[in-house]
Amino acid sequence: MTATDGKPEKIRCDACPVMCYIAEGRSGACDRYANDNGNLIRLDPLTILENRENTDANVVPFLEREWDGDIVAGPETFVTAIGAGTTYPDYKPAPFIVASEVDGVDMVTVVTEGIFSYCGVKLKIDTDRHLGDECALVRSEGEVIGHVTTSEYGSQMLSLGGVHHLTGGSKKEGRITCSTMLALCNGETADLTIDGGAELTVQAGKAPTINGALEERMRVGCGSATVGMFAAQWKDLVDEVVVVDDHITGVMSEHQAGKVIGWEPTGIKINGRRSTPGRYFQVAEPGTGWGGTNLTDPLAIISKFDAKTARPGLSILMVSTTGEHAAYFELDDELLPVQQDMPDRLLPSVRRIEENCEPALTSVLFMAGAGGSLRSGVTEHPVGLTRSVQNSLTYVSCGGAPVYTWPGGGITFMTDVTRLPQNAFGYVPTPALVAPLEFTMRADDYRALGGHMDYVVPLAEAIEGKTGRQNDHLLKGRRAVSSSSGNPWPAGPDNYPWRKANP
Ligand code: SF4
């Protein structure tokens, strides 16, 4: 390790295609590996899940002293891939292939940090407010990193990242895409702007900030649903109710819910496209006003009241789907609505809408595909792993968190980043995200799919930080964390159909 000029030689990291030369005491371009006295060290601690409450999350170094803590190998202990290292350049088995016994069944968990050029982040932002048109570009630091996709019930959805933005644009676009996804996956905030739309600050599990205002509520339902839910509570308190919604505005006197409980016609005429009785589309443009429209004056959606049916003094409640906006009107002698103070009798119903809303949150789902190279770290016959996952013989977890695996080809999965331990994600400057993956199955099933049986190590050895002979790096430390409440135990036999068949 000493060059002819007397200086220690740099060592080469081959844990990703960047292939850094790292000088003594320095770390590589991703800050995940370092040169420690000529040894390549994985800097983030290996994260070990414990299936109990209040596990101490202190980091204990492997290098400075022997572990004397209380992590005990057993069915309640699980080695995650966080801090384990990668299989790159793909010819070698995964960093840890761990044998354990659960309920008398011999199990194997293959542990690796995947490098994902093909990955993205799906954001669900609970708000009625219009954030941007479908397909509008989403930017971070001025770079395009994704787009607005289809709205869901009470939420606006963004699709960020993906191989196109990581690799298909400028170097800066790829770098910003990667850093923004990394921040979101590790639970940090990200500032986003949408072309022709809103400015956002978002963070997994927290309320979004939209154009500088913290969003409080996710709507109770669409306008039509809100009319239906509260029809009986409004009966005999007001003559007409209009629930303003960008998608489906509800009009009580025409709606089926109003009809069946004997609501009288009011002669109201709504601007917008009538879908079915009492349900109107396109009453205004989308925006950040009433019910996700651009309205600041809700009367703009009422064209008139028909003189054959309406009468002076007729009362009208207009309210948005979150209860954030509400106004009360009465018709004057010209049958024109005139705003009045909200009567006390209607205040509880508006509050009831607010109370039935849920707190607005930002949800962040990481999505990626476990490709051919990563699979070869598990087996010499990569498609065997795919089939094993598809047949539910292999349980896939991401840092111990459950994943949803898409049907069809490959192992394309999604996971809620709030269910992983903190700082589970990393990056490499290719650019790509690094995410932990664990594949757990019966030892017999692992053998059958062509697994690297010669590299299996007992759980106790893995917990002691003994890396297998396939690894050219050391581990700096380890940390024990509690499995998130609500997460299925990743090594649990209940994850498998063979267990259900033989309970
Ligand atoms: S970027 Fe990180 S993983 Fe890639 S070669 Fe450099 S130190 Fe190793």
Side-chain angles (χ1 to χ4, degrees):
M1 284 294 163
T2 304
T4 49
D5 60 3
K7 288 185 187 165
E9 279 184 2
K10 292 179 178 177
I11 59 173
R12 188 155 206 193
C13 174
D14 70 353
C16 90
V18 176
M19 304 285 284
C20 296
Y21 283 104
I22 310 175
E24 165 60 28
R26 306 294 293 270
S27 58
C30 65
D31 286 332
R32 297 165 56 245
Y33 289 86
N35 179 345
D36 186 285
N37 216 12
N39 294 313
L40 185 66
I41 303 283
R42 177 72 179 90
L43 288 173
D44 298 300
L46 179 69
T47 297
I48 295 159
L49 280 189
E50 293 201 300
N51 198 13
R52 61 186 169 91
E53 300 282 322
N54 301 323
T55 299
D56 187 349
N58 288 340
V59 174
V60 177
F62 287 121
L63 294 178
E64 293 171 15
R65 64 180 171 83
E66 286 299 308
W67 168 258
D68 58 1
D70 59 352
I71 303 179
V72 177
E76 305 300 306
T77 313
F78 183 80
V79 177
T80 76
I82 304 167
T86 70
T87 58
Y88 196 82
D90 305 330
Y91 66 90
K92 59 190 176 189
F96 284 103
I97 303 177
V98 181
S100 62
E101 187 186 307
V102 181
D103 281 4
V105 179
D106 289 331
M107 307 289 290
V108 167
T109 301
V110 185
V111 167
T112 187
E113 288 179 297
I115 300 174
F116 294 101
S117 302
Y118 294 86
C119 70
V121 162
K122 309 297 176 204
L123 250 60
K124 171 176 167 285
I125 301 170
D126 301 335
T127 182
D128 262 6
R129 281 175 238 282
H130 179 69
L131 302 183
D133 290 339
E134 239 170 66
C135 302
L137 300 178
V138 179
R139 295 176 189 268
S140 174
E141 299 181 42
E143 294 295 320
V144 178
I145 65 161
H147 63 273
V148 178
T149 185
T150 49
S151 298
E152 299 303 339
Y153 199 92
S155 309
Q156 310 292 321
M157 308 288 291
L158 308 184
S159 180
L160 307 182
V163 70
H164 173 72
H165 294 296
L166 282 170
T167 71
S170 68
K171 200 170 175 182
K172 188 177 176 200
E173 177 178 330
R175 181 170 56 78
I176 301 294
T177 299
C178 187
S179 62
T180 307
M181 284 201 294
L182 179 64
L184 287 168
C185 288
N186 277 338
E188 297 164 12
T189 59
D191 295 325
L192 307 174
T193 57
I194 298 173
D195 285 6
E199 294 185 359
L200 308 171
T201 301
V202 286
Q203 183 177 12
K206 300 278 195 266
T209 300
I210 302 168
N211 293 331
L214 194 68
E215 185 63 282
E216 290 181 15
R217 291 189 284 270
M218 177 184 183
R219 70 181 184 179
V220 64
C222 70
S224 170
T226 307
V227 159
M229 278 188 270
F230 298 105
Q233 298 180 38
W234 277 317
K235 185 81 172 58
D236 300 326
L237 295 182
V238 64
D239 297 316
E240 182 65 279
V241 180
V242 179
V243 182
V244 180
D245 175 16
D246 176 43
H247 304 127
I248 309 171
T249 286
V251 178
M252 184 67 80
S253 64
E254 298 178 0
H255 195 278
Q256 184 64 10
K259 293 270 184 231
V260 294
I261 62 172
W263 214 282
E264 295 293 329
T266 61
I268 192 169
K269 301 293 175 198
I270 298 287
N271 294 321
R273 183 157 72 81
R274 187 170 176 269
S275 161
T276 51
R279 299 171 71 254
Y280 289 85
F281 301 161
Q282 299 159 17
V283 296
E285 293 298 316
T288 55
W290 279 62
T293 69
N294 62 344
L295 295 173
T296 51
D297 175 9
L299 290 181
I301 70 171
I302 298 178
S303 70
K304 65 171 186 175
F305 280 84
D306 187 344
K308 288 192 213 128
T309 312
R311 56 177 167 75
L314 189 133
S315 58
I316 308 130
L317 171 67
M318 299 189 81
V319 63
S320 68
T321 47
T322 57
E324 179 184 336
H325 298 97
Y328 174 78
F329 304 87
E330 289 181 6
L331 296 190
D332 65 10
D333 292 343
E334 308 295 320
L335 300 182
L336 295 174
V338 178
Q339 185 163 0
Q340 314 274 342
D341 289 341
M342 182 71 68
D344 288 346
R345 68 179 190 278
L346 291 176
L347 287 173
S349 65
V350 175
R351 273 201 298 273
R352 181 66 59 87
I353 293 177
E354 291 176 355
E355 288 162 6
N356 277 274
C357 292
E358 292 172 75
L361 291 180
T362 302
S363 306
V364 178
L365 264 63
F366 172 73
M367 181 168 167
S373 56
L374 188 149
R375 289 177 297 166
S376 69
V378 181
T379 165
E380 291 169 355
H381 191 44
V383 75
L385 177 65
T386 311
R387 292 185 183 134
S388 184
V389 171
Q390 290 167 344
N391 292 330
S392 302
L393 295 174
T394 293
Y395 180 80
V396 185
S397 55
C398 181
V403 305
Y404 172 75
T405 307
W406 283 68
I411 305 171
T412 305
F413 66 93
M414 294 193 302
T415 191
D416 174 356
V417 302
T418 62
R419 300 181 77 169
L420 277 76
Q422 279 190 322
N423 294 322
F425 292 83
Y427 85 104
V428 292
T430 52
L433 240 58
V434 177
L437 265 191
E438 304 93 23
F439 301 96
T440 304
M441 67 212 89
R442 285 184 298 201
D444 287 346
D445 292 326
Y446 188 49
R447 188 177 294 107
L449 65 80
H452 303 297
M453 297 304 292
D454 291 346
Y455 292 83
V456 176
V457 298
L459 177 63
E461 285 187 17
I463 285 175
E464 286 169 12
K466 290 183 186 159
T467 51
R469 67 181 188 281
Q470 69 273 34
N471 293 309
D472 55 6
H473 69 274
L474 301 176
L475 301 173
K476 185 160 192 217
R478 66 176 176 172
R479 63 172 175 164
V481 300
S482 299
S483 177
S484 289
S485 61
N487 280 0
W489 183 240
D494 291 342
N495 300 327
Y496 305 89
W498 48 260
R499 166 64 170 233
K500 288 172 189 139
N502 305 291

